[in-house]
Amino acid sequence: MIGALVRQAAHAGLVAEPGFTGKELRWMVQVSGGRYVGVIPLGDGKAGQVFRRAPDLSHPNLMALPKYLGTEQAAHFLADTCGVVTLLPALDRDGNSKTDTKSLTDQAKSETKHLAFVELLRRAGESVPDIQTVYEMLSDDEQMAALQADLIRLGAKPTDKLSFSVNGELLLDKADWHDWWRDFRRQAFGRSEAESGGGMLDLTTGELVTPANTHPKLTKLGVGAIAVGASLIGYDKEAFSSYGLNAGENGAVSEDNAAAYRAALDALLDDAPVLGQMKVAAWFDHREAEGQALVNALVDPSTLPENTQEELDAGEPDDYNASEDEQPLVSSARQQEAVAKQRARKLLTAIRRGEQPDNLTARYFALAISGASGRAMVRDWHTGSLEELAQAVATWFADLAIATPSGRNAKRPKFFSLLLYVQRPKPASTGLDDYLRPIRNLQLPFWRAALEPTAPIPFPVIGKVMEAHKAHVMSGKFSEALAREGAPEEKARIYTRMALLRAYHVRQSRANGGHPMTSSLDSQHPSPAYHCGRLMYLLANVQDAQGGDINAGVVQRYYGAASSTPALVLGRLTRLSQHHLAKISRDKPGLAFTLENEIAQVWTALGANLPRTLSLEEQTLFALGYYQQLAHNSAQRQERAAAKRDETSNNARNAQES
C-alpha cells in the first residue's frame, strides 16, 4: 500500500521532498522597494490558495528547532499564522483585544514564536536578498503596525496563514531559497534528506536506505484526526524497540519516500469523499478520470445517471475498451469530466449486457481511512483492475434496484443514505455524531460489500432496518409516505430500506444458490413468509376498498404481529375479509372479483397452512412481500388510469373529427 502511494506521488507529479509540502494560505503581504505596501486576500473567500512547494517542519523538527535557534518556541519558515508573523491579536465583537486567560496565553506563545520566525528570516536573509528585505520590514515597528492594522481592517484571524511577495514575485513560487533550506535542515536536524545509501531495505522500493527516524503527519484526513495531523506510520511504543531497533528502523522507509507517500495521500484525501466517519482515497495507474467517475458513482449515484433502457438497447458501445491514446481530445476540465462519465457509463452498459470488455489493464487502489486522535487508522485496502471495479459498481447498483409504486426503479441511493436510513430518523435534539454512533461499525462492511460482489450485506444491518421499518409501518407514516403526495425524503427512506432488504437476499442467493430476489413482485417466490407479506397487504386492501381510514387502522394494529406470528393474525383477517368482500360485491362486483382473485392466488402460493412463527430473516421476506405487492397494485392502478385517460382523449378527438 505504501509503495503504491509512493508510485502515485511520482505519477501525479507531486512534490515529495522532505522539508517541502503544500500549504494553504489566506493572505499575501506585499513588499516593494524595501517597504510594506499592502496585503491581499488569497483564494475564493471560502478556502485559501494552495502553494505546492512551501517549507515544512515535522513535529519532531519543531520540537528540536528551539534548541538549535536558541529560542523558547519554534516557528515555520516563510509561511506561518498571522498571530505568529504579525502578532495579530484575537478580537472580540467590539474590535477590542480579548483579555480572557486563553487569549492572553495564546498571545504570549505567538510572541515567542514570532522571535523564532524572525530569526529564521534573518539567517536565510544572509543568502537570499528578498528574504533579507522581508526581515528588515518585520523589524520596523512602524511597518509592522501598518500591516497589523490592514489585517484587522480586512477581517483576518490570528490563525490564518500568510506569506510574502517581494517586488511582485511570490517567495513561495521562487526556488532561490530551496538550497538554503535544505542546508539548514541538514545542520539543524543532523540528517541528509537526499541520502540514498544506507543499511536497511526500504519497504516501499527494496533499495538500501537510511530509514526516516519519524514520518510526516497527514494533514488532510479530518474525520477523527486532531488538527495538527495524524501519523500513518509511528513508533512511539516501547514494544517497537524490543529487537534493538529504534523508531523508524522498525519499518524502514527513506525520508524521501515517507515524504512521497504523505504527499500522495494528502492530495488524495483533500478531495476524498466522506463515508460515515471515514474517507475513501482512490487512485488509478491510468484512465484516472474514468475510474474516479465509477468511485464517485458508488458514493453518489446521481453523478453518473443510470442508462435508460433505450440506451441499453441502442447497440454496442463504440469505445468503452478504447486505449488511453485513443481517448478524444478535450479542452477543459468540465469536458474531460463529461467524457470520463460517458466512458464509465458505456463500460457499465457493456457489463450489464453481459459483454466482456477488452484491454482494461488499468488498476485501481482504494484506501478507507479514518482518524483516531493523532493516528491514522487504515480501515480497508482494495486493489484490482478497472474492469473489476466496474463490475462491482454494476453489481452494487443491480443488487439495490427496487421497484416503486410508479412501476419504475427507485433512484439509486447515496452511500451515506444507506447508513442514515438503516435506523429511525434523527431527532432534532440529537447531534449527528451521537446519531451515527450506533451504526458506525456498519460503514466498513457496507464499503466492502460495494467493492466485492460476493460480500454479504451484514446481518446486523437487517436487524436495524427491520426495527425501523416496523415502527414506520405501524405509525401509519409508511402508507402516508407512499401516497402520491408523500414527502420525497420519506419515500427515499422506504425505497432505500427495501433495497437493502432485497440486496441482502440477492447476496445470500448468490452465495448459497437459492432463489434470486427480484426487484418487483415475484409470484413464484418459494418462501411462505414472502407470500404472507403479500397477503397482509391484500387483506388490508380489501378493507380499504370500502373507503374511510380502515386500511391504515388494520396495518397499524396488525402488521407487527402478522410479520412474526402470521398464522395467528392472517387467518383471522382472512375470515373478516369475506364480510367486506360481500359488501363490496353488491356495489362493485368487478372490484370484488379482482380482490378475491388476488387473495386466492396468494393462498395457492402459500398452500394449506400459514407459518406459525417467522424468524427475523423470514420477517424481511414478509416486509418485501408486503411492499412489492403494494408497489405492484399501485403501478397497475396508475396504468389503468392512464389507459382510461388515453381512451377518453382518443374518443373526444374522434368525435371532433367526425
Side-chain angles (χ1 to χ4, degrees):
M1 182 188 78
I2 301 299
L5 285 167
V6 171
R7 292 190 293 274
Q8 170 61 14
H11 178 69
L14 299 173
V15 174
E17 180 181 354
F20 297 85
T21 190
K23 286 187 178 180
E24 180 183 320
L25 304 184
R26 291 278 186 170
W27 306 94
M28 185 63 64
V29 178
Q30 298 175 299
V31 181
S32 182
R35 303 286 299 176
Y36 165 70
V37 295
V39 59
I40 58 173
L42 300 175
D44 58 6
K46 295 181 180 179
Q49 180 177 337
V50 175
F51 291 81
R52 294 299 180 188
R53 200 170 179 83
D56 179 50
L57 290 170
S58 67
H59 182 68
N61 293 158
L62 291 171
M63 297 296 291
L65 188 60
K67 182 178 180 180
Y68 182 77
L69 290 181
T71 57
E72 294 183 28
Q73 295 276 353
H76 288 278
F77 176 55
L78 281 189
D80 211 322
T81 66
C82 293
V84 169
V85 178
T86 72
L87 301 179
L88 184 70
L91 304 179
D92 59 24
R93 293 182 179 179
D94 297 325
N96 300 316
S97 297
K98 293 183 178 180
T99 57
D100 58 279
T101 302
K102 181 180 183 305
S103 297
L104 292 175
T105 301
D106 290 344
Q107 185 69 17
K109 288 182 179 180
S110 293
E111 290 173 0
T112 55
K113 289 180 179 181
H114 174 79
L115 297 176
F117 184 84
V118 172
E119 175 61 16
L120 283 171
L121 294 182
R122 184 190 69 78
R123 296 190 182 202
E126 295 174 357
S127 303
V128 185
D130 283 349
I131 295 180
Q132 175 66 22
T133 299
V134 173
Y135 166 72
E136 292 173 354
M137 186 273 291
L138 291 180
S139 301
D140 186 313
D141 291 342
E142 180 181 346
Q143 295 185 71
M144 274 284 285
L147 168 57
Q148 193 180 94
D150 285 346
L151 288 171
I152 292 174
R153 176 177 55 81
L154 293 170
K157 300 176 182 177
T159 54
D160 291 348
K161 292 180 180 178
L162 60 73
S163 190
F164 303 87
S165 71
V166 177
N167 298 324
E169 294 185 277
L170 306 180
L171 293 187
L172 293 183
D173 285 344
K174 301 181 69 176
D176 55 359
W177 53 269
H178 290 181
D179 286 341
W180 177 87
W181 180 237
R182 294 185 184 103
D183 290 340
F184 174 83
R185 285 175 51 79
R186 187 179 303 114
Q187 295 168 15
F189 310 124
R191 295 183 66 88
S192 174
E193 310 298 345
E195 189 171 0
S196 59
M200 300 191 76
L201 291 178
D202 190 310
L203 296 180
T204 66
T205 63
E207 299 175 349
L208 285 173
V209 298
T210 298
N213 194 47
T214 59
H215 288 228
K217 294 180 182 293
L218 305 176
T219 61
K220 301 295 184 179
L221 178 54
V223 289
I226 57 178
V228 296
S231 297
L232 182 63
I233 299 177
Y235 311 96
D236 61 345
K237 298 294 185 290
E238 187 176 347
F240 290 132
S241 60
S242 57
Y243 291 95
L245 301 175
N246 294 317
E249 294 175 347
N250 290 272
V253 176
S254 72
E255 287 191 292
D256 284 347
N257 287 335
Y261 84 70
R262 192 275 293 269
L265 195 46
D266 263 351
L268 292 165
L269 289 172
D270 200 23
D271 295 322
V274 178
L275 305 182
Q277 294 178 311
M278 67 182 188
K279 280 187 174 182
V280 172
W283 66 100
F284 309 83
D285 59 5
H286 62 284
R287 298 181 75 159
E288 296 96 334
E290 184 178 350
Q292 191 61 52
L294 292 171
V295 173
N296 292 344
L298 276 180
V299 178
D300 182 1
S302 66
T303 62
L304 192 67
E306 188 172 11
N307 302 73
T308 64
Q309 191 60 44
E310 290 77 10
E311 288 174 308
L312 292 175
D313 296 337
E316 183 176 356
D318 55 4
D319 67 347
Y320 66 81
N321 60 352
S323 69
E324 216 175 2
D325 294 337
E326 296 170 330
Q327 294 186 36
L329 296 175
V330 290
S331 59
S332 71
R334 179 172 294 181
Q335 288 175 311
Q336 290 173 356
E337 183 181 4
V339 169
K341 288 181 179 180
Q342 181 186 35
R343 292 175 57 79
R345 287 179 62 185
K346 288 184 176 181
L347 176 56
L348 293 181
T349 300
I351 290 173
R352 289 177 63 181
R353 291 198 190 113
E355 298 166 355
Q356 184 67 36
D358 297 325
N359 302 323
L360 287 179
T361 59
R363 294 193 65 77
Y364 79 92
F365 308 87
L367 173 64
I369 189 171
S370 64
S373 189
R375 291 184 177 276
M377 309 294 290
V378 174
R379 303 298 181 182
D380 192 50
W381 167 245
H382 268 82
T383 181
S385 70
L386 184 62
E387 180 184 347
E388 290 169 336
L389 175 61
Q391 183 66 64
V393 174
T395 302
W396 182 246
F397 289 162
D399 291 354
L400 288 170
I402 195 76
T404 70
S406 68
R408 298 184 296 270
N409 277 350
K411 290 183 179 179
R412 300 173 301 208
K414 295 181 180 180
F415 192 91
F416 193 47
S417 296
L418 294 173
L419 283 172
L420 291 181
Y421 293 161
V422 159
Q423 56 186 354
R424 302 186 192 192
K426 184 180 77 68
S429 58
T430 302
L432 183 60
D433 287 345
D434 291 335
Y435 179 67
L436 292 176
R437 188 170 292 114
I439 55 175
R440 185 179 301 167
N441 62 331
L442 300 179
Q443 58 188 358
L444 187 54
F446 264 137
W447 177 245
R448 287 175 175 164
L451 289 183
E452 298 177 18
T454 58
I457 302 296
F459 191 72
V461 170
I462 303 309
K464 289 188 174 295
V465 167
M466 287 304 298
E467 178 187 359
H469 168 68
K470 281 187 179 181
H472 200 199
V473 173
M474 296 169 68
S475 70
K477 294 181 179 179
F478 182 90
S479 299
E480 293 174 7
L482 291 179
R484 189 179 295 266
E485 65 277 4
E489 184 177 357
E490 285 300 302
K491 288 181 178 179
R493 192 184 306 278
I494 293 171
Y495 301 154
T496 300
R497 288 173 179 167
M498 294 300 107
L500 280 172
L501 295 183
R502 178 185 173 244
Y504 170 80
H505 288 285
V506 169
R507 299 273 170 130
Q508 289 290 97
S509 66
R510 186 176 297 140
N512 304 321
H515 185 82
M517 176 62 66
T518 58
S519 61
S520 56
L521 183 67
D522 182 4
S523 61
Q524 304 302 313
H525 199 285
S527 170
Y530 180 82
H531 297 295
C532 284
R534 295 178 61 200
L535 183 59
M536 177 68 200
Y537 170 76
L538 292 174
L539 294 174
N541 194 39
V542 167
Q543 297 195 31
D544 184 49
Q546 295 184 90
D549 297 326
I550 300 175
N551 179 39
V554 169
V555 174
Q556 291 177 52
R557 289 199 303 271
Y558 295 113
Y559 184 92
S563 66
S564 56
T565 56
L568 185 64
V569 178
L570 295 181
R572 179 185 175 191
L573 290 178
T574 298
R575 291 189 295 272
L576 289 173
S577 71
Q578 300 307 309
H579 301 289
H580 299 303
L581 286 169
K583 294 178 182 178
I584 296 170
S585 64
R586 290 195 293 266
D587 300 323
K588 301 177 181 178
L591 176 60
F593 175 81
T594 299
L595 295 172
E596 194 165 13
N597 187 51
E598 288 177 332
I599 293 173
Q601 289 176 4
V602 174
W603 273 108
T604 299
L606 271 169
N609 298 314
L610 288 166
R612 294 177 61 86
T613 61
L614 298 179
S615 66
L616 179 58
E617 185 166 317
E618 290 172 326
Q619 290 176 40
T620 65
L621 291 169
F622 182 100
L624 283 166
Y626 179 90
Y627 169 78
Q628 290 186 336
Q629 186 69 57
L630 181 156
H632 174 77
N633 282 33
S634 177
Q636 283 194 326
R637 285 194 295 269
Q638 292 183 42
E639 288 177 8
R640 288 194 296 268
K644 188 173 182 179
R645 288 194 300 271
D646 290 343
E647 182 181 1
T648 302
S649 176
N650 289 335
N651 290 339
R653 184 165 54 251
N654 292 335
Q656 289 178 350
E657 292 175 354
S658 61

